[in-house]
Amino acid sequence: MAEYKKEIDQVTGVETTGHEWDGLKELNHPLPKWWLYMFYASIVWSVIYWVLMPSWPLVNGYTKGLLDYSQRAVVTAEFNAAEAERAETGKMLLEASLEEIRDTPELLEFAMAQGKVAFGDNCAPCHGAGATGFEGYPNLQDDSWIWGGDLDTLATTISYGVRAEHDDTRYAEMPAFGRDEMLEKDEIIQVANYVGSVAGLPTRQGVDLEAGKVVYEENCAACHMEDAKGSTETGSPNLTAPTYLYGKSVEDIIAQVDAPRHGVMPAWIDRLGETTVKSLAVYVHSLGGGQ
Ligand code: HEC
Ligand code: HEC
């Protein structure tokens, strides 16, 4: 057996390990010191970890470690703490007025989070995920309100709905002027074109708008008001609004005067409870159209 002696490789100038196979020699490139120390340190760390923390799986269970640490217990504790806080905040929300909620950052944040989720779950199918509405379902983001956009009014509308199955529901019904023969066909065309002219719509040629105005004043102004801006008292839509529930054209107005459509907004108070309804009012109010 050849005794090992330091040998320098001719070509690279690097020391060899002395190992040789068929004339090929192994160069000696030791691992950097910092790397070795890290390696030893991690071995030491893993031993400490085994001893202290849960680590080895066994047939029945696992080694628990001296610290008796459990991720599940930590999560459970955190969850319970969050639940307790939620119950607490929920109670404060129930007791606070809508204005107090709006003016208390902590309550507002909670109400907004709860309102957003409840809106997505319950309201988005009709009003759209962004609350911008669809035909027949009002946009809740704009400034045009059928029933009103202040906090208390919103809470009432959401609680009891419109034409809903609830004793306190909001109710308003436009008469069917054509179907019930309250107005002649001509009068309906006149009044629809008059409303169209007030709303800035293209009107039919040759229609007597002055006559339409008279029909309007006699039949419509009581609900939609003299200036056609509607009334939140009676839930009569603003006829000068940028969008209509049921289509904004003279033809659509004729259809509505002939035989109106009546949308139904469900009552939510029994289904969602007062806290959630409050959160929804605050959330809807924040969307930009609040009053
Ligand atoms: C089944 C469809 C439907 C669902 C679901 C629905 N709404 Fe409505 N909502 C309507 C209709 C239709 C109207 C218009 C009622 C009318 O003609 O006065 C309306 C009106 C409203 C108004 C009054 C708007 C105004 O201009 O005064 C508010 C506020 C409102 N909804 C909020 C909600 C909230 C919040 C939810 C979820 C909890 C919800 N809606 C769920 C159909 C729906
Ligand atoms: C008793 C009150 C009342 C009277 C009178 C009335 N309306 Fe209405 N109008 C309403 C209500 C409430 C609505 C909302 C739709 C509904 O009935 O569900 C409405 C809706 C409308 C709409 C649809 C608005 C939209 O956003 O799509 C038009 C257009 C309209 N009315 C025009 C008229 C004209 C024109 C007359 C007169 C010939 C008239 N209304 C008389 C209460 C009234």
Side-chain angles (χ1 to χ4, degrees):
M1 201 177 126
E3 200 191 303
Y4 173 70
K5 64 178 178 1
K6 232 181 175 186
E7 187 190 0
I8 305 294
D9 175 57
Q10 298 290 303
V11 183
T12 57
V14 175
E15 192 187 331
T16 73
T17 61
H19 301 154
E20 179 182 339
W21 296 272
D22 295 340
L24 293 177
K25 289 177 180 168
E26 185 182 25
L27 299 181
N28 187 10
H29 283 297
L31 288 162
K33 286 265 184 318
W34 66 263
W35 195 97
L36 272 178
Y37 290 141
M38 294 270 287
F39 181 61
Y40 295 139
S42 60
I43 292 173
V44 173
W45 166 248
S46 69
V47 173
I48 297 171
Y49 196 89
W50 289 339
V51 174
L52 294 180
M53 301 293 277
S55 43
W56 290 109
L58 305 173
V59 177
N60 291 315
Y62 56 92
T63 59
K64 294 227 161 44
L66 292 179
L67 288 185
D68 201 22
Y69 175 86
S70 156
Q71 196 107 43
R72 184 172 304 231
V74 170
V75 171
T76 310
E78 281 173 1
F79 183 81
N80 288 342
E83 273 288 281
E85 201 194 331
R86 266 183 56 179
E88 187 97 335
T89 319
K91 226 178 108 210
M92 281 162 72
L93 210 63
L94 195 61
E95 282 158 9
S97 75
L98 288 160
E99 284 71 22
E100 279 163 6
I101 296 171
R102 189 190 52 198
D103 298 336
T104 314
E106 191 202 350
L107 290 181
L108 180 65
E109 194 187 325
F110 182 85
M112 286 293 290
Q114 192 187 35
K116 187 168 191 216
V117 172
F119 192 91
D121 288 349
N122 301 289
C123 324
C126 285
H127 292 284
T132 45
F134 299 105
E135 180 168 342
Y137 302 100
N139 183 342
L140 303 178
Q141 279 208 5
D142 60 10
D143 274 333
S144 143
W145 293 101
I146 305 171
W147 298 97
D150 66 77
L151 281 168
D152 289 308
T153 307
L154 287 171
T156 305
T157 308
I158 297 166
S159 292
Y160 309 120
V162 182
R163 303 176 195 95
E165 287 171 23
H166 196 287
D167 292 345
D168 297 323
T169 195
R170 293 189 182 285
Y171 200 86
E173 198 171 299
M174 168 153 162
F177 291 95
R179 194 187 59 209
D180 293 346
E181 299 175 1
M182 298 162 72
L183 288 176
E184 300 292 330
K185 186 84 197 152
D186 274 0
E187 290 173 312
I188 291 177
I189 291 170
Q190 286 164 351
V191 77
N193 278 274
Y194 168 73
V195 170
S197 73
V198 175
L201 294 170
T203 51
R204 277 194 212 169
Q205 292 288 317
V207 173
D208 187 346
L209 295 181
E210 274 307 309
K213 186 171 188 222
V214 175
V215 178
Y216 183 87
E217 280 161 1
E218 285 171 5
N219 297 279
C220 322
C223 292
H224 292 284
M225 311 310 281
E226 215 55 51
D227 59 4
K229 294 232 164 79
S231 158
T232 52
E233 303 272 308
T234 57
S236 309
N238 178 353
L239 302 179
T240 67
T243 53
Y244 276 23
L245 274 177
Y246 304 117
K248 192 176 175 182
S249 76
V250 167
E251 296 314 311
D252 291 314
I253 300 173
I254 290 175
Q256 180 73 11
V257 176
D258 183 48
R261 283 187 273 175
H262 312 291
V264 172
M265 154 79 181
W268 296 96
I269 189 71
D270 297 335
R271 236 179 294 181
L272 300 179
E274 197 180 334
T275 311
T276 307
V277 164
K278 278 180 155 176
S279 295
L280 279 165
V282 170
Y283 175 73
V284 170
H285 188 263
S286 78
L287 291 175
Q291 284 171 344

